Amino acid sequence: DGVMLVLPVPAQEPAAALMSSAVELPCPAEVETLDVKMDDALLAEERTDSLATMSVETVSLDSSSSLSRSDGRSDIEPVEGQAQFLRDEVSFGDRELGPKSGQGRLGYSMPAELLESRPVQLWPIPADATLADNGFELLSITEALRGMGVTEENFDPTSQDHRCKVGSALIGAAQARFGKRAIHLADTSRVSGSAVYGEATVRDTRAGSKLRAAQHIFHMDKFLPGIAKLYGHTTESDGARRIADAYWHLWEPDFNSFGVTKDAALSYIAGAAPGMLNLWVSLTPGEVINEPLAVADMRNILLDDSDIDLVSTHKVVFPGLEDTITVLRQRAIDGAKLMFRPRMRFGEVIMFSTTHTPHSAVWLPNAPTPGRCSAEMRMLMATDLDREA
């Protein structure tokens, strides 16, 4: 039997709050970690005390967005996509991954010989999808970015200032959504790209870019049972501790600035309420034509420690950091419903669980391939903001 993941989701704040909730983050290139001072106005905002109850209200998007609701309608049809999975013959954890000399881009990619390509059906993400029910939901930071002078006409993916403004807007949106402190979690971009606290990690698949490429394999960034097994342990708490141990030399200054201890961080990660989140935002002018992000609906798939044979967790080694990734075999999505945001526009966001939601860039075989630009930020939802104020 599957295990139900219960993610407390507070009632939504008005759309105006989301549009104006970007957090002011200093982001100079010459520093690695910052004692971040959050906007006093954000801390003082009145929030509904509803963390103890579940709410599935849809987050309001900018008025320029045009999302359709699924609501079980039969007139919504899937589109054909092409996705990659780990080959069945690859044993659990038997390949160490990481950047290769001369690869020309930041980050790393999965070796092609480990992968197999399969056709998939992709359904539109419904406007009323929620993190609690589906493992993902839709937000928008378009207006927040516009308020900081960043638009689809002038966004420069090579500008650290612009990447920091994207990060500020993402942190603000997450805090407005949950009423919790969102702490940016340093990831591999801190050691491969010299990113600073509050700087979103940009991917740009367009020709000539040296930024990270899209990750074309269904995976979970931090699958706790897989991490525990890889390092000879058994429980999700063991997996959470391994994450914290690996990253603490990067996280500690940031967590200290918010008064959050390592033990508290472990509790937030393992508790998944909501715990670690990824926020993925389109920064493509106009619409994403190809290589959209696809996510697996948790109503049809929820992997746990009984499903280890369906995945494989691998070490990802960078200078100064030993990370992990958990990749899915094709059998893992049997019966799953894969979803994406068709024609995703600049500033629209897919928020999903870092520890539970399988996701991947996918190809749309019938669409042109002009490349796309996106950014992502991993964060930990920690203390309640109303308790800090």
Side-chain angles (χ1 to χ4, degrees), residues 10 66 92 97 105 140 169 174 176 188 192 266 269 271 306 323 341-342 349 361:
S66 56
F92 183 96
L97 308 174
R105 284 181 177 262
S140 177
T188 58
S192 176
L266 288 172
I269 294 170
S306 66
D323 197 18
R341 168 75 169 116
V349 178

Side-chain angles (χ1 to χ4, degrees), residues 303-326:
L303 301 172
D304 58 27
D305 56 3
S306 66
D307 300 307
I308 288 293
D309 63 321
L310 301 179
V311 303
S312 181
T313 302
H314 296 263
K315 295 178 182 179
V316 183
V317 179
F318 286 82
L321 178 66
E322 184 173 292
D323 197 18
T324 63
I325 186 172
T326 298

Side-chain angles (χ1 to χ4, degrees), residues 264-288:
L266 288 172
S267 176
Y268 295 135
I269 294 170
M276 296 174 71
L277 298 177
N278 280 26
L279 274 72
W280 190 96
V281 57
S282 171
L283 298 174
T284 305
E287 302 174 344
V288 173

Side-chain angles (χ1 to χ4, degrees), residues 358-388:
H359 59 283
S360 176
V362 293
W363 293 106
L364 303 179
N366 298 322
T369 55
R372 51 93 160 156
C373 186
S374 64
E376 59 210 49
M377 179 173 276
R378 188 179 303 154
M379 57 189 74
L380 183 66
M381 305 310 296
T383 54
D384 293 347
L385 284 173
D386 58 359
R387 295 178 185 174
E388 295 183 10

